[in-house]
Amino acid sequence: MKTRIINLVVAGFVSIAAAGMVGCADTEPVAYNPPVKVVHEPTALTSVPPTADSTTTTTQYGNGTVEKQTTTDYNPGYVTAGPPYKTTVVPAAPVTTTTSSTTTATDE
């Protein structure tokens, strides 16, 4: 009877140890790659307006003469163009599979 109790206790410890080892086992993460779709979107053109920068200089000479000089720098307007399109990756709709079956009953 005493050996039976010892065997039962040892079996309990072995079971608990085995369960602990299973709980500690490393599991490899499974990579999930959702379906994606690459979309090419046209880029917008950017318009830069023309500008004019004006500078006025006033000079007074010793004889009392005053001279004004104005300089204007003109920058014409232009349009910037980048690449013809930009690429965007968006989630794709999940792929669904439809299965249909037909059953025909015959009377014998």
Side-chain angles (χ1 to χ4, degrees):
M1 182 73 161
K2 187 176 184 180
T3 57
R4 194 176 244 185
I5 293 173
I6 292 174
N7 287 344
L8 198 63
V9 170
V10 170
F13 282 127
V14 170
S15 298
I16 291 171
M21 295 299 274
V22 169
C24 293
D26 286 340
T27 57
E28 290 293 323
V30 177
Y32 172 68
N33 295 324
V36 294
K37 184 168 84 171
V38 177
V39 178
H40 299 294
E41 300 174 12
T43 56
L45 299 176
T46 304
S47 175
V48 178
T51 59
D53 294 326
S54 231
T55 305
T56 303
T57 306
T58 305
T59 307
Q60 183 173 9
Y61 296 103
N63 63 2
T65 309
V66 176
E67 180 181 282
K68 273 187 159 180
Q69 202 172 35
T70 303
T71 306
T72 305
D73 293 327
Y74 292 101
N75 294 318
Y78 59 95
V79 176
T80 62
Y85 61 87
K86 66 179 181 177
T87 303
T88 307
V89 177
V90 294
V95 177
T96 57
T97 305
T98 305
T99 306
S100 63
S101 60
T102 306
T103 307
T104 306
T106 57
D107 291 335
E108 293 183 21

